[in-house]
Amino acid sequence: MKKNKRLLIVGGVAGGASCAARARRLSEEMDIIVFERSEFVSFANCGLPYYVGRVIKVEDELLVATPELFRDRFNIEVRTETFVRRVFPALREVEAEDLKTGRRYRESYDALVLAPGSTPLKPTIPGIDLPGVHTLWTIPDSRRIMSWIRDAAVSRAVVVGGGFIGLEMAENLKHLDMDVRIVEMQPQVMPAVDPEIASFIHDHLMSRGITLHLESAVTAFEKNSTDAIVVKLNTGLALETDMVIFAAGVRPRTELAVDAGLTIGEFGGILVDERMQTCDRHIWAVGDAAEVRNVITGRSCMVPLAGPANRQGRIAADSIVGQVPPAHVFRGVQATAVCGILGLTVATTGLNEKSLSGFGESIGPYEKVYLHPDHHAGYYPDAKTLTLKLIFNTKTGRVLGAQAVGEAGVEKRIDVISMAIQRKATVFDLEEAELCYAPQYGSAKDPVNLAGMIAANIMRGHARIDHWENLTDPGTFILDVRDIEEYRQGHLENAVNIPLEDLRECLEELPRDREIWVHCYVGQRSYFAARILRQHGFKVKNISGGYLMYDPVKRYKRNY
Ligand code: FAD
């Protein structure tokens, strides 16, 4: 009798579960076994902060699938509470331990998929293992946090780390009416975006009563005489709190791969090719543990997100079962991500400006534009302004990255631009993108079109722009074309105010021997002004993003 091919999968959540289910859909003639160390398979770790915050009320809602469902629907054997301790590549075997009984045994494979994910970083800070200092990674972690909140009558929390998980936890603890502080080592939260975009998050967090301690590193956790936790910072501050959530980054789980002699990439992940295959042709790796290529730079990188993990799981299954043309290969990651923070949404895709400087010439010359359009037609009720930053190559027009922040319509624009980036599209493609429009959903010129149009104007030479951070010469002639009332409410000390409507009558007042930097509130009227001035022979630049970006740029950009 012909023996079935054996597929073993280590890790049964995002990447591993996707791989198992896809492999079964493609082949009925395969033995598929999933080893999962925890008691749960295929659970929604992305939902955990909302479970702690009681937005998701029932734990079972987090269980996307169960071992029984895998057995009955897919004929896949899931062994929970089973830890794979070693891989023996030469024998094509793994050693597993049943954590309930301690029994160790070996299983052989034809194909092995490593989907062990990552683990929260826990540096050796004194007191990091104190009761009340938590990380959030698994369902048992969320149970521990919820019991601590209940038993210790928690009303104060310190979140260490202002990344996605830290911010989501801050939101959810605020939902529980806690006094929340965020401690972040960098000068900004949400390192995935640039500092001037993060400044909108800072303002929002503070407006919601969350205290921020930026450029602050934890040096120790201690207990004081009242049994409270004291979080000591390198700034000298000591924050008294009832609970700490430690969310300061992740580390790929690569112990098995290292032990098996698989190639590890420069960022510490398991190096794979576009079929998710490691250097051993019988072993694949997917998800947070895998090191893949960046769509834009072509270089190796790590992006620990659920979307890539799920897609990679499918690709590994396709590769294992046998590819049918056209080949299904991984296109790379571009770090497309979104985070909601107490009514504010921030989203990003592609490269940010901070990272661009690290790539030097290989990425080519770039420019950025800021715009602040409404998320849908301004005349339709409840239009919300969003801020969008688009980064593009000035030689080719290729879109390199985008970030947006606002109360509504943010992720939709970033998703569109994300697809454009994956397809190596240019600002001219964004300019011409045909997107849905009705007043309650968007505008006839969608923010994505507008971003493309502004950038295309630069590419075609219709507009010259500059940025607040480059405004260093105190002798620069700054023209503010806002209304007199807007100007009175706040303006740059040396700016000359000529409202756009009066500009044509006041040309004589403007210098012809110097460059004029023109701005308005968001950058649109100043663009109109710049067009007028250029056609009258003036040397003029529009300050992208307008006065609205002045404070975010001047206050935060200095840090980089
Ligand atoms: P995981 O889904 O983590 O699965 C790995 C599994 O392997 C684990 O269950 C582990 O127990 C098991 N395992 C490890 N080693 C072994 C072993 N030796 N033997 C047996 N089993 C083993 N991403 C987003 O895109 N959006 C979000 O909103 C988002 N929110 C998140 C919120 C939280 C709190 C967390 C923790 C993560 C969040 N993520 C989010 C990240 C996302 O969940 C991960 O990127 C994704 O789950 C990675 O998938 P994976 O298959 O690589 O690893």
Side-chain angles (χ1 to χ4, degrees):
M1 202 175 78
K2 197 179 136 210
K3 231 177 122 208
N4 275 353
K5 221 173 161 181
R6 280 170 76 79
L7 167 60
L8 304 187
I9 300 176
V10 182
V13 188
S18 292
C19 180
R22 171 75 171 176
R24 173 57 76 227
R25 287 193 295 273
L26 296 178
S27 169
E28 279 292 319
E29 290 167 2
M30 202 182 247
D31 294 334
I32 305 175
I33 304 173
V34 177
F35 299 96
E36 171 52 53
R37 175 187 198 163
S38 74
E39 54 186 296
F40 302 101
V41 68
S42 199
F43 70 93
N45 31 17
C46 307
L48 294 175
Y50 306 93
Y51 179 48
V52 172
R54 311 306 295 138
V55 177
I56 297 168
K57 295 210 163 47
V58 182
E59 190 178 282
D60 280 0
E61 303 280 358
L62 296 170
L63 304 179
V64 181
T66 58
E68 294 72 35
L69 184 136
F70 272 102
R71 184 193 60 214
D72 300 342
R73 188 172 290 175
F74 295 111
N75 186 25
I76 290 171
E77 184 183 346
V78 176
R79 299 186 191 163
T80 54
E81 296 179 80
T82 303
F83 183 42
V84 174
R85 296 207 157 268
R86 285 197 74 182
V87 178
F88 301 96
L91 302 172
R92 275 193 254 153
E93 284 179 356
V94 299
E95 182 187 281
E97 179 181 346
D98 182 333
L99 296 175
K100 295 179 292 279
T101 61
R103 183 177 78 89
R104 292 191 184 196
Y105 58 94
R106 289 197 181 195
E107 289 285 0
S108 64
Y109 61 81
D110 296 293
L112 173 68
V113 175
L114 299 179
S118 50
T119 181
L121 277 182
K122 256 183 130 184
T124 48
I125 297 172
I128 195 154
D129 291 320
L130 277 179
V133 179
H134 301 272
T135 53
L136 177 65
W137 215 252
T138 61
I139 291 180
D141 289 341
S142 62
R143 287 180 189 159
R144 272 188 290 276
I145 294 171
M146 289 159 80
S147 324
W148 184 265
I149 290 173
R150 196 182 51 240
D151 300 343
V154 171
S155 65
R156 304 167 295 178
V158 170
V159 175
V160 181
F164 291 93
I165 297 177
L167 291 177
E168 288 177 358
M169 279 310 294
E171 166 177 286
N172 281 287
L173 298 176
K174 200 73 198 160
H175 277 159
L176 298 175
D177 269 341
M178 287 186 200
D179 172 49
V180 179
R181 290 165 184 272
I182 298 176
V183 174
E184 168 58 57
M185 215 155 73
Q186 303 285 325
Q188 64 164 96
V189 297
M190 190 66 92
V193 300
D194 287 318
E196 73 281 18
I197 299 297
S199 78
F200 290 86
I201 313 172
H202 298 168
D203 291 345
H204 186 73
L205 288 169
M206 290 185 283
S207 77
R208 296 305 180 96
I210 293 181
T211 309
L212 282 178
H213 300 273
L214 300 175
E215 297 180 80
S216 305
V218 177
T219 53
F221 300 101
E222 290 172 4
K223 283 259 172 174
N224 69 11
S225 54
T226 62
D227 217 24
I229 301 166
V230 179
V231 184
K232 294 204 157 168
L233 306 183
N234 61 350
T235 57
L237 271 181
L239 313 174
E240 196 181 286
T241 187
D242 307 317
M243 180 176 83
V244 173
I245 301 292
F246 198 87
V250 305
R251 180 181 68 71
R253 276 194 177 121
T254 50
E255 298 82 356
L256 282 176
V258 170
D259 185 54
L262 302 181
T263 307
I264 301 298
E266 65 177 296
F267 295 99
I270 309 168
L271 207 60
V272 292
D273 64 12
E274 59 186 5
R275 290 164 197 260
M276 310 312 298
Q277 211 158 5
T278 68
C279 62
D280 181 314
R281 65 191 186 88
H282 294 281
I283 307 179
W284 285 253
V286 302
D288 286 5
E291 188 165 321
V292 290
R293 301 235 152 256
N294 181 290
V295 166
I296 305 154
T297 64
R299 296 202 201 162
S300 215
C301 67
M302 302 288 293
V303 174
L305 289 171
N310 274 275
R311 300 200 312 280
Q312 291 166 7
R314 289 183 88 236
I315 289 168
D318 286 10
S319 169
I320 290 162
V321 177
Q323 293 268 6
V324 176
H328 187 192
V329 294
F330 191 62
R331 295 177 177 186
V333 284
Q334 57 199 76
T336 306
V338 63
C339 184
I341 314 134
L342 297 162
L344 190 77
T345 303
V346 58
T348 175
T349 184
L351 300 179
N352 58 38
E353 213 184 336
K354 284 181 297 188
S355 61
L356 268 168
S357 53
F359 293 109
E361 290 301 300
S362 62
I363 288 292
Y366 75 89
E367 183 53 282
K368 60 189 170 184
V369 292
Y370 299 97
L371 58 157
H372 313 278
D374 286 336
H375 89 289
H376 64 43
Y379 61 81
Y380 189 83
D382 287 331
K384 305 286 185 206
T385 302
L386 60 93
T387 291
L388 179 57
K389 175 179 182 178
L390 182 78
I391 306 171
F392 58 98
N393 178 301
T394 45
K395 260 197 189 144
T396 61
R398 184 175 170 193
V399 182
L400 302 174
Q403 301 156 40
V405 60
E407 288 177 48
V410 168
E411 71 289 358
K412 162 174 159 170
R413 273 67 198 208
I414 293 300
D415 277 343
V416 171
I417 298 174
S418 160
M419 196 62 226
I421 290 177
Q422 197 184 78
R423 300 310 301 147
K424 300 185 172 32
T426 64
V427 297
F428 307 111
D429 297 312
L430 300 188
E431 184 184 28
E432 283 307 314
E434 188 164 310
L435 304 170
C436 305
Y437 164 60
Q440 69 270 48
Y441 298 110
S443 298
K445 281 184 195 142
D446 189 86
V448 171
N449 296 130
L450 287 173
M453 288 168 186
I454 295 170
N457 276 337
I458 295 165
M459 294 289 294
R460 294 192 181 105
H462 294 313
R464 290 175 69 221
I465 62 161
D466 218 313
H467 304 283
W468 290 117
E469 69 262 30
N470 301 329
L471 183 60
T472 48
D473 177 2
T476 307
F477 189 93
I478 304 166
L479 175 63
D480 181 340
V481 294
R482 293 176 300 159
D483 297 344
I484 292 169
E485 195 42 48
E486 288 176 273
Y487 179 80
R488 277 202 194 114
Q489 283 170 16
H491 60 82
L492 266 73
E493 212 175 295
N494 53 345
V496 172
N497 180 223
I498 304 175
L500 176 64
E501 285 68 25
D502 302 334
L503 189 62
R504 288 186 181 85
E505 280 70 53
C506 300
L507 297 178
E508 300 305 307
E509 297 169 28
L510 297 171
R512 289 193 176 271
D513 58 340
R514 297 197 266 164
E515 198 165 59
I516 298 171
W517 284 43
V518 59
H519 80 85
C520 61
Y521 187 58
V522 297
Q524 191 183 33
R525 283 172 290 173
S526 52
Y527 164 61
F528 301 155
R531 290 298 306 155
I532 294 171
L533 293 177
R534 261 187 86 178
Q535 291 178 70
H536 282 89
F538 290 92
K539 283 181 271 180
V540 60
K541 274 179 175 174
N542 182 12
I543 305 179
S544 186
Y547 195 60
L548 186 47
M549 290 312 295
Y550 181 76
D551 190 51
V553 169
K554 282 293 191 189
R555 225 164 12 120
Y556 290 98
K557 207 77 183 180
R558 67 177 169 83
N559 293 310
Y560 289 94

